[in-house]
Amino acid sequence: MLYLIGLGLGDAKDITVKGLEVIKQCSRVYLEAYTSILTVGKEALEEFYGKELILADRETVEQEADTILKGAHQCDVAFLVVGDPFGATTHSDLVLRAVKLGVPYTVIHNASILNAVGCCGLQLYNFGEVVSVVFWTDTWKPESFYDKIAKNRRNGMHTLCLLDIKVKEQSLENLMKGKKIYEPPRYMSVNQAAEQLLAIVQNRRLQGEEPAEIAENTVCVGLARVGAVDQKIASGTLQEMTTVALGNPLHSLIITGTLHPLELDMLKLFAVDKSIFEHMAE
């Protein structure tokens, strides 16, 4: 059997009782190590689970999935994912490969950012399409995420922005030379995401547009380490999100849509400047 097990969002103890019981019976346990992180490292997980973990990076999962599934007809294999196995990123390909090989599978769910984001007080059913905000480079500055946020705003919906993670990435030079040398991990902050959004707003103004959906005073929410003991939430304008201090990763950013009075009251609890919300309530 292949088990896809969600680990939750905080630390080793966020795993479900069912998930922990399954891990203890598995012959091999893989830890997916490229779409998210916990506040504790691999060693802390191994100590709590009582099992050695095999790190599975993007290359392993996408190109060597058969090694994960090898022998899963005769023994139990676990594939651990931070959050929920089908949360922020899906692992449908692994499931499809298992089915093709005749390997049965079971999914053990857990909390993910997609539902835990409700901790800021915004109502989950008021969210539209989730978007990913990627790191820009000197030569690549996509704006598609902005258009999706604008569409959600036009429909009165909030937008959860999942911020880019770069783990085990190669520089262009090393990639071209075939050198297995990797860049240090990078995790996008709320500050960086807000700066990129504002750059798009300013760029479109220079092109003669006047972006009505998103501006410097658009109400946003910055979140960091959701589900951990040092979780941090800050609400304020998009401009304020460029300087708000949220600390270590992982960060998420919400661009709000139409706000219900109850949502406004909740956002005041986390306000960088409460006067903004007082004015909106008038």
Side-chain angles (χ1 to χ4, degrees), residues 5-277:
I5 303 174
L7 300 184
L9 294 167
D11 56 30
K13 294 181 179 179
D14 278 357
I15 192 167
T16 63
V17 174
K18 183 188 290 186
L20 184 58
E21 288 174 346
V22 168
I23 287 174
K24 289 183 180 298
Q25 75 185 35
C26 285
S27 300
R28 297 196 311 279
V29 182
Y30 293 89
L31 174 62
E32 192 260 60
Y34 65 91
T35 60
S36 191
I37 56 169
L38 289 175
T39 57
V40 295
K42 172 175 172 278
E43 294 75 18
L45 297 180
E46 289 177 327
E47 183 179 352
F48 187 73
Y49 301 156
K51 280 280 185 177
E52 181 184 347
L53 303 182
I54 305 165
L55 286 180
D57 57 26
R58 186 186 298 274
E59 189 176 305
T60 302
V61 177
E62 293 181 353
Q63 299 175 27
E64 303 170 28
D66 290 345
T67 62
I68 296 173
L69 297 170
K70 187 177 181 181
H73 295 90
Q74 291 83 32
C75 65
D76 290 329
V77 176
F79 184 76
L80 312 184
V81 182
V82 175
D84 185 85
F86 295 100
T89 186
T90 66
H91 292 91
S92 303
D93 183 64
L94 189 59
V95 167
L96 291 171
R97 287 173 182 266
V99 171
K100 189 174 181 180
L101 293 170
V103 174
Y105 73 94
T106 294
V107 180
I108 300 175
H109 295 284
N110 209 320
S112 79
I113 190 63
L114 296 180
N115 58 353
V117 74
C119 64
C120 69
L122 296 178
Q123 296 164 5
L124 292 178
Y125 51 76
N126 287 342
F127 279 79
E129 181 180 355
V130 177
V131 307
S132 296
V133 181
V134 298
F135 277 114
W136 280 353
T137 69
D138 292 337
T139 57
W140 188 63
K141 297 184 178 182
E143 298 186 1
S144 56
F145 59 86
Y146 173 93
D147 296 315
K148 291 179 180 179
I149 296 167
K151 181 181 177 182
N152 282 342
R153 290 266 298 170
R154 286 194 294 272
N155 291 328
M157 310 301 283
H158 311 314
T159 306
L160 171 61
C161 300
L162 303 176
L163 308 187
D164 204 0
I165 294 174
K166 297 291 187 189
V167 177
K168 206 174 180 183
E169 296 275 337
Q170 292 174 272
S171 67
L172 184 60
E173 182 183 356
N174 286 327
L175 191 63
M176 291 175 69
K177 290 180 178 179
K179 292 182 178 179
K180 294 283 186 179
I181 300 172
Y182 301 101
E183 301 292 293
R186 289 192 297 150
Y187 306 96
M188 182 180 284
S189 68
V190 161
N191 308 142
Q192 292 168 308
E195 286 167 1
Q196 288 188 185
L197 271 169
L198 285 175
I200 296 172
V201 171
Q202 291 156 10
N203 184 47
R204 298 203 175 189
R205 284 179 183 151
L206 289 172
Q207 294 172 5
E209 297 179 37
E210 185 51 47
E213 291 86 8
I214 306 169
E216 287 81 357
N217 64 349
T218 297
V219 175
C220 300
V221 186
L223 305 101
R225 299 170 304 286
V226 172
V229 291
D230 61 344
Q231 168 181 299
K232 192 151 188 182
I233 304 171
S235 60
T237 65
L238 180 58
Q239 187 67 57
E240 286 173 329
M241 291 298 110
T242 63
T243 56
V244 68
L246 293 175
N248 293 329
L250 293 174
H251 289 192
S252 301
L253 176 66
I254 300 170
I255 314 298
T256 66
T258 303
L259 288 162
H260 184 278
L262 195 61
E263 292 179 310
L264 272 173
D265 286 342
M266 284 296 294
L267 291 187
K268 287 177 191 174
L269 300 178
F270 312 111
V272 175
D273 180 358
K274 283 188 170 60
S275 65
I276 295 164
F277 297 100

